[in-house]
Amino acid sequence: DHDGARVRVCPSFTQNSAQDQEVCTDNLAALNDIVIPTSANPTEQVKFVEFASQQTPPNMYSGGTTLLTVNPSGGNVTLPVANIPTSLGTHYIYAILEPAPADPNCRPYDLVIVQVNPPIVANAGADVEICDGFSTTLTASATGGNGNYSYAWSNGANSASTTVSPSPAGVYTYIVTVTDNSGNCSDMDTVQVT
């Protein structure tokens, strides 16, 4: 006859900020399922909960908005795209055990941040008239996205401004593509130089 102590191994989640996602409302198709590796066994439940701000442990185990409760499969838990919030703003999504373990030292979590920005609106500036043989500087601007823009002009320039000297006389169209550093948000605009 043996009296043995039962030891519960606390499940864990593999925290990985590479799961964080950033999109614009006009390109929600860029969102991907959130897949989090876990050592939780297939009979344990994992709940995905959304908060409006980042939580400190163990606060993510109380409150928030439940998005989905799932069982691990193949060593992962998955929040499908259909369950990811898409309203403007920052969504702090936590994967936590459900129900919360009684031991407060055994309350693992993972955090995935989903940032949804307004669409980028590119502006290549007003059309310009110049005399043949002269040059003009075109300057683009943008709003929306995350505000960290890169510019690509149809003449090969890669900055907000480009100087052009179209010749011979005629109508020349220049296109600017503005992309933010998420890589998921962009817009184009054109300007004519005559």
Side-chain angles (χ1 to χ4, degrees):
D1 187 27
H2 295 289
D3 281 335
R6 298 180 96 188
V7 177
R8 180 175 193 258
V9 176
C10 188
S12 64
F13 297 103
T14 301
Q15 297 188 4
N16 179 359
S17 63
Q19 287 279 344
D20 294 348
Q21 300 185 50
E22 187 171 3
V23 298
C24 287
T25 55
D26 64 339
N27 190 20
L28 296 175
L31 282 172
N32 296 304
D33 291 350
I34 295 171
V35 180
I36 300 172
T38 181
S39 65
N41 69 55
T43 61
E44 295 183 274
Q45 289 196 312
V46 173
K47 181 166 65 170
F48 288 94
V49 184
E50 176 198 7
F51 288 87
S53 61
Q54 197 160 349
Q55 304 296 300
T56 55
N59 294 340
M60 66 282 302
Y61 272 87
S62 61
T65 302
T66 299
L67 301 174
L68 186 68
T69 301
V70 297
N71 293 86
S73 175
N76 295 308
V77 288
T78 301
L79 181 65
V81 167
N83 297 93
I84 297 174
T86 56
S87 59
L88 280 175
T90 305
H91 304 277
Y92 298 89
I93 300 172
Y94 288 87
I96 59 174
L97 296 177
E98 172 69 18
D103 179 356
N105 295 315
C106 180
R107 293 187 181 170
Y109 68 92
D110 188 24
L111 167 63
V112 176
I113 300 171
V114 175
Q115 178 69 43
V116 181
N117 296 315
I120 290 179
V121 177
N123 182 349
D127 292 345
V128 180
E129 289 186 22
I130 60 172
C131 295
D132 188 24
F134 285 78
S135 62
T136 188
T137 299
L138 306 175
T139 301
S141 61
T143 59
N146 66 20
N148 297 306
Y149 306 122
S150 61
Y151 299 85
W153 287 90
S154 54
N155 67 349
N158 289 310
S159 62
S161 296
T162 182
T163 300
V164 296
S165 304
S167 187
V171 177
Y172 294 84
T173 300
Y174 296 89
I175 303 168
V176 65
T177 302
V178 182
T179 305
D180 72 14
N181 67 358
S182 75
N184 292 322
C185 304
S186 65
D187 190 36
M188 295 187 315
D189 194 26
T190 60
V191 59
Q192 289 189 334
V193 178
T194 55

